Structure formats: structure tokens, C-alpha cells
Amino acid sequence: MSLSLKKRLAAACALGAATALGAAASASAHVIVQPNSVPKNATDQTFAFRVPNEDDKNSTVKVEIDFPTDHPIPSVKVAPVPGWGDSIQTTKLATPIHTDDGDITDAVSQVVWTGGQITPGHFQDFTINLGALPDGTDKIVFKTLQTYSNGTVMRWIEEPQDGQPEPKNPAPVLKLTATDTAATGTATAAGDPGDPGAAGPAPTTASATPGATTAKASSSDSTARALGIAGIVVGVVGTVAGFVLGRRGRGTGDSGTSA
């Protein structure tokens, strides 16, 4: 094999590896909500928004979760996160929500966390409790803004569509499944402190000490998806390299016979 051909193949392999790593990084770093589905009739639910830091140098310093106004959520409780402050924004409803306890005229529009840091290579879970879920929809889209210490804002606002590839900046989506008469309404992300039997894994946080940053990891499903993409890219590069080498070898053999 000539030196120039070796260089071209090395460059192709390097490009393929870089593409695979880039695809892996983009596939594993976005905001998600856990659990990502509950029955429509469930009440008093606890959810964790997992926010990873995908920047190699800058920390996440602000997280904003927007609540839908077309299917309003009347109230929310926010679990404290060491080192972070939180605020709940509300909006006046054009059409009040009628309940047995009276009309609800305001709904949650946004929850904002500031004052803490998610350092590079780490994530943080932000936990909330919803007393009631909205009617008339099978999903809730929580558009999210993630602000870094250098001023960069990641806008996780694209709504995934069934049967379509995942968008570049997907928003966290909570699916509301068909009413399950056997559901207890306690399938929570972190569990209710007053209900030791509440189902669901507890979200991971950094530490119980104030000012701690975050626990280090990424979700297993994202990792598997990233590795799958990397494998496909590397396989394509290997196929191309084998084809080029085969052609080169046949060309060399023909030349020797004719001589």
C-alpha cells in the first residue's frame, strides 16, 4: 500500500471517529423528565427534571421550566435543592378551572432555579410535585431553558413527534396514558416523604450539604443510543476502508501478472 493511500485511510478513520463521538455527545445530553409517563387519573405526582451539563468549561447557573398554558396546571410544590434558590411564576387564566372546592383562576407558568451550579461532566435533578394533571391531553410538554456561566442559553423547546427522528433540542415530555383503574396514583420519581411505599426510583442529587454541585452520570438509555450511533459510523468507515484496500490489492495483482 502506498504512503498516500495510508494517509487517506487514516484521515477517513479519524473523521469517522470524530463524527461518532460528536453524535454520541449530542444524543446523551438533553433535559428529561422522570418518570416520563403516568396515568391520566393519577394525582399528587412527583417528577424530577434531570439537567446534564454538556459544556466542557462552563457551569449551568440557571434552569427555567415553562408550563403549558393551553392545558394549565393549577399548582406545584418544589423540593429544595442544596445551593439553589427557586421561584414559581403564575399566570391569570382566561377561562377558570371549575373544581369542587371552587374556581381556580391562576395556573403555574414557570419554575426557575438560580444561585447554584452544575459543573462540567455532572447533572442535577430538580424535583417538583403536581397535585393535579390537566385534562383533555395525552402529554405535557415542558419547554426548558438552560443558562451557562458564559451567557450561553440552551433552548430545549422542540416537541418530539411520533415516528420522527428526535429533534436536535428536544423538550422534556410527560406522557399521560389511558386511565388505569388499577393505578394508585403514587407512581412517583422520588416518592412522597409521607408515603414510604410510593413507587419509583429516587432521583440522584449531589449531596445533602449546601453548595454541593451535582452527581456525576448520564442516563443508560442515552448511553446505549449514543453507542449505537458510534457503532454505525465506525462500521461505515471500516466498510469503505476495506473496499479501497480490496481495489488497491486487485490493481497491484493485475500489474504483476502482466509483467
Side-chain angles (χ1 to χ4, degrees):
M1 184 190 302
S2 69
L3 181 60
S4 60
L5 180 57
K6 289 181 179 179
K7 289 182 177 180
R8 287 197 296 271
L9 289 176
C13 291
L15 178 60
T19 303
L21 291 175
S26 62
S28 63
H30 60 268
V31 180
I32 60 174
V33 60
Q34 298 177 318
N36 64 1
S37 66
V38 291
K40 290 183 178 181
N41 66 333
T43 59
D44 194 24
Q45 297 294 290
T46 301
F47 303 94
F49 291 93
R50 176 158 293 183
V51 182
N53 191 318
E54 61 176 356
D55 194 296
D56 293 334
K57 298 180 180 179
N58 299 286
S59 298
T60 296
V61 295
K62 184 178 182 181
V63 175
E64 305 169 59
I65 306 292
D66 289 331
F67 284 60
T69 56
D70 54 344
H71 298 287
I73 296 174
S75 63
V76 62
K77 295 179 181 178
V78 181
V81 180
W84 292 81
D86 57 71
S87 63
I88 301 173
Q89 310 296 326
T90 60
T91 186
K92 186 71 67 177
L93 295 176
T95 303
I97 301 174
H98 301 290
T99 70
D100 294 338
D101 298 323
D103 289 349
I104 297 174
T105 58
D106 297 275
V108 178
S109 59
Q110 189 180 70
V111 178
V112 181
W113 288 267
T114 57
Q117 292 190 52
I118 308 174
T119 54
H122 294 76
F123 69 80
Q124 178 66 58
D125 285 343
F126 296 90
T127 305
I128 64 172
N129 180 273
L130 304 180
L133 298 173
D135 296 324
T137 184
D138 58 2
K139 62 182 176 182
I140 308 174
V141 180
F142 295 97
K143 296 182 179 181
T144 303
L145 302 183
Q146 178 182 8
T147 303
Y148 285 90
S149 53
N150 66 345
T152 299
V153 178
M154 289 299 300
R155 300 172 60 84
W156 306 105
I157 62 173
E158 298 179 71
E159 182 178 344
Q161 302 295 329
D162 293 338
Q164 299 295 321
E166 185 177 76
K168 181 179 180 182
N169 298 305
V173 176
L174 173 64
K175 296 180 180 179
L176 304 181
T177 60
T179 300
D180 183 358
T181 56
T184 63
T186 57
T188 62
D192 187 338
D195 181 9
T204 306
T205 53
S207 171
T209 58
T213 51
T214 46
K216 189 173 185 179
S218 63
S219 59
S220 59
D221 58 336
S222 296
T223 301
R225 184 167 62 252
L227 292 175
I229 295 172
I232 292 172
V233 174
V234 172
V236 170
V237 172
T239 301
V240 172
F243 176 76
V244 173
L245 289 173
R247 289 288 302 273
R248 182 67 179 178
R250 287 195 298 273
T252 302
D254 294 341
S255 176
T257 302
S258 61

